[in-house]
Amino acid sequence: MAEIIDGKALASEIKEDLKAKVNEYFIKHNRKITLAVILVGENPASKVYVNNKIKATEYVGMKSLSYYLPETVAESDITSLIDTLSEDKSVDGILVQLPLPKGFDEEKVLSHIPAIKDVDGFLAENVGNLCLGKKSTVSCTPLGIIRMLESKNVELSGKHAVVIGRSNIVGKPMAMLLLQKNCTVTVCHSKTENLREITKTADILIVAIGKPEFIKKDDVKSGAVVIDVGINRTENGLKGDVDFENVKEVASLITPVPGGVGPMTIAILLENTYNAAIRRDELGL
Ligand code: GUN
């Protein structure tokens, strides 16, 4: 029977630690670290994520600026807003919740965020530096997963890590981080042949495919560490990408949904924002 990795508890620890540091920052600099969040359109899941991010931002003592724009907004109005926030010295981080509604050029919109304020780690400069093993801001979900693995002292060096999903937000940066930790990494995706044969060879299995309970007990090696990135709304409630109840019988460590990766993503976002503020001060920006 697997031990459960409690992402909610670990995220709480990170937030408590940050709360103290954010307060120290305020005392030293007489200003609140500030995160600006932009949501375009009415995607219900995005609204929930953004509200959770705003609540957590305020919980740790940072200032939250939120911009809710209708999906009829002109792309140039979004980029003008980002340009204004980029120039604003009181703003440390800028986050545009993805996905943007159909018709918007995500890459073009994001490109208006300066790398130093890119607390999501989505920009080419940050992704490129990650690939080169240089200092960078790293996408929150994959970095949160590494922190979860480290919290349980999971041995990564030399192990076979299988990542299912190749998105820019999760799969690709996840693969890079695991490679940096000396894992042998396999990235699987929708076109992968014999995917379930590959997952059976994983010591560490990271699932970000967006299909409820896609990974079954028979797909998992005995003793594997299983990380579930999925959040799927189904008739039977919120489900991950892993058949948790059965897979936990064979795994050694497993994350639940909810209460696993989700809270860690937000905690790391706040940490990235704090680090952005410190770096801006160091660089005098
Ligand atoms: N959409 C899904 N995950 C994320 C995330 O981590 N950041 C942003 N901005 N949008 C997302």
Side-chain angles (χ1 to χ4, degrees):
M1 180 75 89
E3 184 188 340
I4 291 168
I5 310 180
D6 186 342
K8 200 173 165 196
L10 185 56
S12 283
E13 278 176 33
I14 293 171
K15 284 190 285 186
E16 289 311 315
D17 185 43
L18 267 178
K19 206 172 174 175
K21 291 206 275 195
V22 168
N23 188 43
E24 272 173 36
Y25 185 96
F26 179 71
I27 291 166
K28 189 168 167 197
H29 298 270
N30 196 29
R31 79 168 188 96
K32 280 193 174 187
I33 294 173
T34 300
L35 173 62
V37 177
I38 300 170
L39 174 62
V40 183
E42 299 289 329
N43 181 320
S46 291
K47 277 187 183 172
V48 172
Y49 299 145
V50 161
N51 281 339
N52 288 340
K53 287 174 186 179
I54 291 169
K55 262 194 260 169
T57 304
E58 289 170 353
Y59 178 79
V60 298
M62 293 181 188
K63 183 171 168 185
S64 171
L65 299 174
S66 41
Y67 301 88
Y68 295 92
L69 307 175
E71 66 178 43
T72 51
V73 72
E75 193 167 292
S76 58
D77 287 341
I78 309 176
T79 53
S80 304
L81 171 60
I82 295 174
D83 292 343
T84 304
L85 295 167
S86 303
E87 291 295 315
D88 187 337
K89 286 194 183 312
S90 73
V91 173
D92 299 284
I94 304 170
L95 179 152
V96 177
Q97 185 66 26
L98 300 181
L100 286 173
K102 258 205 183 114
F104 290 98
D105 183 339
E106 264 175 18
E107 202 185 317
K108 198 166 160 208
V109 169
L110 292 179
S111 73
H112 281 254
I113 303 174
I116 191 109
K117 296 192 180 186
D118 171 32
V119 286
D120 262 324
F122 288 170
L123 291 186
E125 184 175 332
N126 280 316
V127 176
N129 281 335
L130 170 66
C131 292
L132 294 172
K134 288 164 67 175
K135 196 171 171 175
S136 66
T137 303
V138 179
S139 182
C140 307
T141 300
L143 189 54
I145 291 170
I146 293 290
R147 295 287 282 278
M148 290 171 106
L149 296 171
E150 285 175 348
S151 78
K152 293 291 176 189
N153 297 313
V154 173
E155 177 65 51
L156 295 174
S157 184
K159 301 296 179 192
H160 185 203
V162 173
V163 180
I164 309 184
R166 56 174 158 177
S167 69
N168 291 338
I169 296 182
V170 181
K172 286 180 197 169
M174 187 77 252
M176 281 301 148
L177 288 173
L178 290 164
L179 208 49
Q180 276 178 12
K181 299 283 180 189
N182 298 318
C183 284
T184 303
V185 182
T186 303
V187 181
C188 299
H189 47 79
S190 54
K191 299 284 191 290
T192 299
E193 292 178 0
N194 304 320
L195 182 142
R196 290 177 196 276
E197 293 306 313
I198 298 170
T199 60
K200 271 185 227 167
T201 68
D203 300 306
I204 294 131
L205 179 60
I206 315 245
V207 193
I209 197 169
K211 293 184 183 166
E213 301 186 321
F214 177 79
I215 289 293
K216 307 290 184 195
K217 186 177 172 179
D218 287 349
D219 306 327
V220 176
K221 182 164 87 171
S222 174
V225 176
V226 179
I227 306 289
D228 189 347
V229 185
I231 304 178
N232 306 290
R233 286 168 173 79
T234 76
E235 284 174 359
N236 302 318
L238 215 57
K239 298 281 179 197
D241 290 349
V242 174
D243 177 6
F244 178 83
E245 283 308 318
N246 294 306
V247 172
K248 79 176 192 304
E249 303 296 327
V250 291
S252 62
L253 282 166
I254 190 166
T255 61
V257 176
V261 172
M264 285 301 289
T265 296
I266 296 181
I268 300 297
L269 167 68
L270 302 176
E271 224 176 54
N272 283 352
T273 306
Y274 174 80
N275 290 335
I278 299 291
R279 221 169 302 135
R280 286 180 59 232
D281 290 338
E282 281 170 3
L283 296 171
L285 293 171

